[in-house]
Amino acid sequence: MITPKLIVGVVVAIIDVIMLSIALEKLFGKKALRFKLIPRVIFALLAVGCLGSFYTANREGSLTNEILTKAGYSDFAVNINWSANSNGPMLTFLNNMHIDVMDEPKGYSKETMAKIVRKYQNTAADINENRPNNNLSKQTLIFVLSESFADPNRVPNIKLNQAVTPNIDNIKRDNTSGLMLSSGYGGGTANMEYMTLTGLALNQFSKSLTSPYTQLVAKQDQPINITNSFKTAAAIHPYYGNFYDRDTVYKRFGIQTFRNINTTGNLALRYTQMIDGGQYISDESAYNDVLWQVDQANEGQFINLVTMQNHIPYTNKYANNQFKATGSGAGKNLQQVENYAKGISITDVSTKNFLDKLDTINKPITIVWYGDHLPGIYDGDNITQHNVIEHETDYFIYSNKYALDHGYGTKKIEESTKVTDPNGFIPLALKQMQQKVTPYYALLTKVQENLPAMARNSVGTSGNLYVKDNGKQVTTGHLTNKQRQLIQDYKLVQYDLTAGKGYSKNSINR
């Protein structure tokens, strides 16, 4: 988000300050207070020590971390705005000077990773015996992140006068669907997008890693992600392309084209209409851009869409808003809840129309559609009391008519789908598409099928939020030995691919 103009301005300002300091030194240096060499060295060391001590401030168990905790510092790693409001901008800045990507799991070594690769090569072979399709690039896979989409009727102490999303409710009933456990509330879109594209879990990273896009991916070389399996990959976001450094991140992921409101010429968005009373480009326009992109490849491709229509603020003045909200769950935000309900009801209609159009296309297409987080407007509810509910959004996986008729799609998968997480979407999509898997996706398949949904916890002392298919939160103490071993395998692979030596990178996804 830092522009070249701003960089030049800062450099010029620094040069001006240096020149002013030199001029003041020449004018007043002889009269000013002077320190001898030893005091100067002591003050310099104290300054370095004071600032340097914050290098380990985010590392649990370090002296600096313990001192800050006892002094009243509140760790809001999940939301840097909360931290700044609670601790002040200076402490928040110093506390984020150094980021540990991930703690090294016990037993990590080249030999361990070789064993894990062999283990999941065998797992992949077992899975692939019942999967007829072996070339993912012949199919079209679309990921749609629907901004802030979550049915408000599930929120405690909120009641709407009528159903908000009847079409999507019907789609979910007839197709693979359920609830997605989000690692954010009122924000964190790019983190859910990261987990969806890579299959890696945010809760397994260090707490200090609050934005994998900006703090990790931008520094990686060809990171593993779903686009590795496609010859053609495109991204569409009807907003600024530099938010969360997406324009850089998508290139790292191997996405060839990224259309956003910054791009022009051949890369410009084709559709930019807004809805009456809306503040952002509509979902209908975004879907039309996806349909246009589908036509640009003769064979299959991967398309990643991040919508904007239902982004904050919810002060929209929609025409003929039929929704009325009651209850204490919104606090003073009942008007915002009504506006939000109107927005996602419009999404509900445009999403059905989008799927209807996909059904007319004579190529196999599967779409993974999900809300990234709840909107941050339910101030009347205690998030600690309703932690799980306020981190559950809606998702479905839909294969078009051509895919179903030609053996490239499944109508409805019911096993382990009631509650899942963003890192479970790749293996679920591959199962939906009856697609053979690599050892890496075999691991993700086992994680998705056999572990509770997982997220980064925003309340309590544990950084991990685990939720079973029945919607109940569990702790690691309730997991079986096999589940703990699976988590350990998952952590080892995640560490190796992000913070470790990359021993498995060239073999685990082939």
Side-chain angles (χ1 to χ4, degrees):
M1 294 172 64
I2 299 176
T3 64
K5 183 178 179 180
L6 180 59
I7 294 173
V8 171
V10 171
V11 171
V12 170
I14 291 173
I15 292 173
D16 288 344
V17 169
I18 292 173
M19 294 178 65
L20 178 62
S21 299
I22 293 173
L24 291 173
E25 172 69 17
K26 289 184 177 181
L27 289 173
F28 306 107
K30 293 181 180 180
K31 298 178 182 179
L33 181 64
R34 290 286 190 172
F35 291 105
K36 294 183 179 179
L37 179 61
I38 293 178
R40 287 185 181 187
V41 172
I42 292 174
F43 282 125
L45 291 175
L46 285 172
V48 172
C50 287
L51 292 174
S53 64
F54 283 90
Y55 187 82
T56 59
N58 264 315
R59 189 173 298 164
E60 292 186 25
S62 68
L63 179 61
T64 306
N65 183 270
E66 290 181 358
I67 292 173
L68 286 173
T69 301
K70 290 180 180 179
Y73 184 87
S74 300
D75 184 8
F76 292 116
V78 69
N79 190 318
I80 200 167
N81 289 330
W82 295 351
S83 179
N85 288 330
S86 176
N87 307 305
M90 180 61 74
L91 266 182
T92 300
F93 171 77
L94 292 173
N95 206 44
N96 285 277
M97 281 201 309
H98 173 70
I99 302 299
D100 289 319
V101 174
M102 186 175 174
D103 294 334
E104 182 177 312
K106 184 179 179 180
Y108 175 70
S109 68
K110 186 176 182 179
E111 293 74 20
T112 298
M113 297 314 302
K115 289 179 181 177
I116 287 180
V117 171
R118 288 194 297 270
K119 177 179 179 179
Y120 289 99
Q121 284 174 338
N122 293 331
T123 302
D126 293 338
I127 293 172
N128 292 339
E129 286 183 0
N130 300 313
R131 303 273 183 97
N133 302 317
N134 61 4
N135 190 343
L136 188 56
S137 64
K138 288 184 178 180
Q139 301 194 56
T140 295
L141 177 60
I142 305 170
F143 280 3
V144 174
L145 184 158
S146 186
E147 174 61 41
S148 299
F149 190 99
D151 189 344
N153 284 307
R154 284 198 311 274
V155 178
N157 306 309
I158 288 289
K159 186 176 181 180
L160 277 301
N161 61 322
Q162 65 183 78
V164 182
T165 58
N167 292 301
I168 288 176
D169 290 343
N170 289 334
I171 293 166
K172 290 182 64 178
R173 185 192 63 230
D174 298 334
N175 297 274
T176 303
S177 65
L179 301 177
M180 186 201 83
L181 189 64
S182 175
S183 289
Y185 172 77
T189 298
N191 293 344
M192 266 53 75
E193 185 185 3
Y194 172 82
M195 288 184 278
T196 299
L197 295 176
T198 65
L200 301 176
L202 186 67
N203 61 295
Q204 296 187 152
F205 285 124
S206 166
K207 284 185 178 181
S208 61
L209 188 86
T210 57
S211 176
Y213 268 13
T214 57
Q215 296 171 317
L216 175 61
V217 180
K219 303 172 185 177
Q220 288 183 293
D221 181 29
Q222 296 180 327
I224 282 181
N225 69 95
I226 186 61
T227 66
N228 300 153
S229 302
F230 291 86
K231 295 178 182 177
T232 303
I236 299 168
H237 180 44
Y239 203 58
Y240 299 106
N242 56 355
F243 270 36
Y244 295 105
D245 215 8
R246 280 192 179 96
D247 44 7
T248 299
V249 167
Y250 287 161
K251 289 178 182 177
R252 297 282 185 182
F253 278 161
I255 293 175
Q256 293 110 349
T257 60
F258 176 30
R259 302 178 190 280
N260 57 81
I261 63 174
N262 295 129
T263 52
T264 58
N266 292 333
L267 287 178
L269 291 169
R270 263 53 185 179
Y271 302 89
T272 57
Q273 291 82 7
M274 298 179 181
I275 53 179
D276 185 15
Q279 303 177 59
Y280 303 101
I281 293 175
S282 69
D283 284 356
E284 181 181 4
S285 294
Y287 288 150
N288 285 334
D289 262 309
V290 171
L291 292 168
W292 180 89
Q293 181 62 43
V294 169
D295 289 338
Q296 303 312 302
N298 292 327
E299 290 192 331
Q301 61 178 310
F302 174 74
I303 304 172
N304 186 61
L305 168 65
V306 179
T307 71
M308 275 298 293
Q309 176 186 295
N310 298 313
H311 199 280
I312 58 171
Y314 303 109
T315 54
N316 317 62
K317 298 187 182 300
Y318 292 117
N320 303 317
N321 187 350
Q322 71 272 33
F323 293 99
K324 299 297 178 184
T326 57
S328 61
K332 298 179 180 179
N333 298 330
L334 282 176
Q335 180 67 57
Q336 292 190 50
V337 172
E338 293 170 359
N339 292 340
Y340 168 76
K342 178 65 175 181
I344 65 171
S345 74
I346 296 171
T347 294
D348 179 67
V349 174
S350 59
T351 300
K352 181 184 182 302
N353 293 338
F354 175 53
L355 298 184
D356 289 344
K357 291 175 182 177
L358 290 179
D359 277 335
T360 66
I361 299 175
N362 291 325
K363 62 175 68 174
I365 302 171
T366 292
I367 175 172
V368 176
W369 188 100
Y370 64 101
D372 53 337
H373 54 73
L374 274 74
I377 55 179
Y378 303 115
D379 291 356
D381 283 337
N382 186 326
I383 196 169
T384 302
Q385 182 182 355
H386 305 293
N387 190 30
V388 173
I389 295 175
E390 296 206 359
H391 285 89
E392 289 179 330
T393 67
D394 298 85
Y395 87 89
F396 64 79
I397 303 178
Y398 183 93
S399 295
N400 74 336
K401 186 177 185 301
Y402 185 96
L404 295 175
D405 292 345
H406 293 80
Y408 289 106
T410 305
K411 185 66 174 174
K412 187 176 179 66
I413 300 170
E414 299 195 57
E415 183 183 359
S416 302
T417 56
K418 290 182 180 178
V419 182
T420 192
D421 42 41
N423 25 308
F425 284 149
I426 293 176
L428 269 177
L430 297 181
K431 185 185 292 188
Q432 176 97 1
M433 301 162 81
Q434 302 181 45
Q435 176 67 43
K436 295 184 186 297
V437 296
T438 64
Y440 177 57
Y441 294 142
L443 167 62
L444 295 187
T445 300
K446 291 301 179 183
V447 168
Q448 196 280 323
E449 291 178 343
N450 298 290
L451 291 179
M454 61 184 72
R456 177 173 283 182
N457 208 356
S458 57
V459 300
T461 57
S462 174
N464 298 312
L465 176 62
Y466 292 109
V467 176
K468 297 171 67 176
D469 235 16
N470 61 7
K472 301 296 183 182
Q473 182 176 348
V474 295
T475 65
T476 52
H478 292 92
L479 302 181
T480 66
N481 290 334
K482 286 185 177 180
Q483 287 176 316
R484 292 193 187 97
Q485 183 58 56
L486 184 54
I487 288 178
Q488 179 67 6
D489 291 350
Y490 191 21
K491 286 181 178 179
L492 282 163
V493 170
Q494 182 161 329
Y495 178 81
D496 186 54
L497 295 176
T498 57
K501 302 293 185 180
Y503 297 127
S504 66
K505 183 176 180 181
N506 293 326
S507 57
I508 199 167
N509 203 32
R510 296 183 183 277

